[in-house]
Amino acid sequence: LFLKDPKLEPQLGAMLTDMLITMTDRGPDSAGIAIYSSAGKGLGKLTVQSAHPEKDFKGLDGELKEAIGAPVAMIVKSTHAVLEVPLGQLDAARSAVAHLRPGIKVMSSGENIEIFKEVGLPKDVAARFDLASMGGTHGIGHTRMATESAVTPSGAHPYAVGPDQCLVHNGSFANHAGIRRDLRAAGVVFDSENDTEVGARFVAHELASGSDVEQALTDLTTTFDGFYTLLVSNSDSFAFVRDAIACKPAVIAETDD
């Protein structure tokens, strides 16, 4: 959902909540949301997830401040926390979090993006993170019905594919196991056995190697076999791609708002 009218930005989360709940039958086992909103001038955001938030988030902001030598603000939302740090310290913060709390997973990083995802019905996931109260310029919601990997927060979408970038996927990749091996050999680390994550890590690897989004998605279509529709977002736009047979639906609507 990409808003043209700034007056609607405070309602973004509420609109996404309604859309997410409507898709419950399509994906009842887990759900995720990416929200784009500014952290403030000169600031970046790191969204992290923990299976043990009471333990892992306790004192994390203070320890991280000491580790990177810069101010840190932390907002805890259930199993996730959003860490705001000076933009120039974002990579250092990510490395420090991995050292301070090895069990924590990074969901997203950038100037604008926050990703929240959990196991459960979409209405329960939306309530857990109080999605309806969130504002922003645009956002993505996804509901999942697992078919080939475990139902876990790491298996839910969206997947971050770079700073302020994320990906969601409908369909399946037939050759993801071989591509996963190639990416692991190149040093790419995976959080799940989900085939979508292979697509996300592939796009992230292409972007980190110098490709733009259009080229990365073009390379994906020539590398991956299967039936799929992908959506990739960044701080100011969306991009869609479908496999050549295009049996997975993609419906795009535009209004004045």
Side-chain angles (χ1 to χ4, degrees), residues 153-241:
S154 294
H157 308 203
Y159 283 99
V161 297
D164 283 320
Q165 295 168 327
C166 72
L167 176 150
V168 295
H169 167 222
N170 178 27
S172 61
F173 297 128
N175 60 336
H176 65 92
I179 299 170
R180 184 191 299 270
R181 286 194 297 270
D182 292 342
L183 289 172
R184 278 181 170 153
V188 175
V189 177
F190 289 83
D191 293 329
S192 75
E193 295 302 313
N194 193 324
D195 64 334
T196 302
E197 187 181 6
V198 181
R201 300 295 182 190
F202 176 87
V203 172
H205 185 66
E206 291 287 301
L207 294 173
S209 300
S211 297
D212 59 19
V213 171
E214 182 177 358
Q215 185 59 54
L217 293 178
T218 299
D219 291 343
L220 183 146
T221 63
T222 59
T223 304
F224 284 75
D225 295 328
F227 303 107
Y228 53 84
T229 296
L230 299 175
L231 183 153
V232 175
S233 72
N234 60 25
S235 58
D236 60 7
S237 63
F238 291 121
F240 290 90
V241 65

Side-chain angles (χ1 to χ4, degrees), residues 63-229:
E63 294 176 49
L64 185 58
K65 176 183 177 180
E66 183 176 347
I68 67 174
V72 176
M74 181 171 67
I75 301 173
V76 175
K77 297 186 177 184
S78 186
T79 55
H80 290 49
V82 180
L83 299 161
E84 291 189 357
V85 302
L87 188 59
Q89 295 286 343
L90 199 55
D91 289 341
R94 184 172 188 147
S95 297
V97 166
H99 174 72
L100 294 168
R101 301 289 192 276
I104 278 181
K105 290 183 170 59
V106 174
M107 297 288 101
S108 62
S109 66
E111 293 184 61
N112 303 292
I113 192 172
E114 300 173 17
I115 289 180
F116 305 93
K117 51 187 185 177
E118 262 297 349
V119 171
L121 291 171
K123 69 178 181 64
D124 297 329
V125 175
R128 176 192 285 263
F129 299 116
D130 194 16
L131 173 61
S133 71
M134 297 183 190
T137 55
H138 56 295
I140 297 174
H142 186 275
T143 62
R144 179 175 183 239
M145 181 175 64
T147 57
E148 47 70 44
S149 61
V151 178
T152 65
S154 294
H157 308 203
Y159 283 99
V161 297
D164 283 320
Q165 295 168 327
C166 72
L167 176 150
V168 295
H169 167 222
N170 178 27
S172 61
F173 297 128
N175 60 336
H176 65 92
I179 299 170
R180 184 191 299 270
R181 286 194 297 270
D182 292 342
L183 289 172
R184 278 181 170 153
V188 175
V189 177
F190 289 83
D191 293 329
S192 75
E193 295 302 313
N194 193 324
D195 64 334
T196 302
E197 187 181 6
V198 181
R201 300 295 182 190
F202 176 87
V203 172
H205 185 66
E206 291 287 301
L207 294 173
S209 300
S211 297
D212 59 19
V213 171
E214 182 177 358
Q215 185 59 54
L217 293 178
T218 299
D219 291 343
L220 183 146
T221 63
T222 59
T223 304
F224 284 75
D225 295 328
F227 303 107
Y228 53 84
T229 296

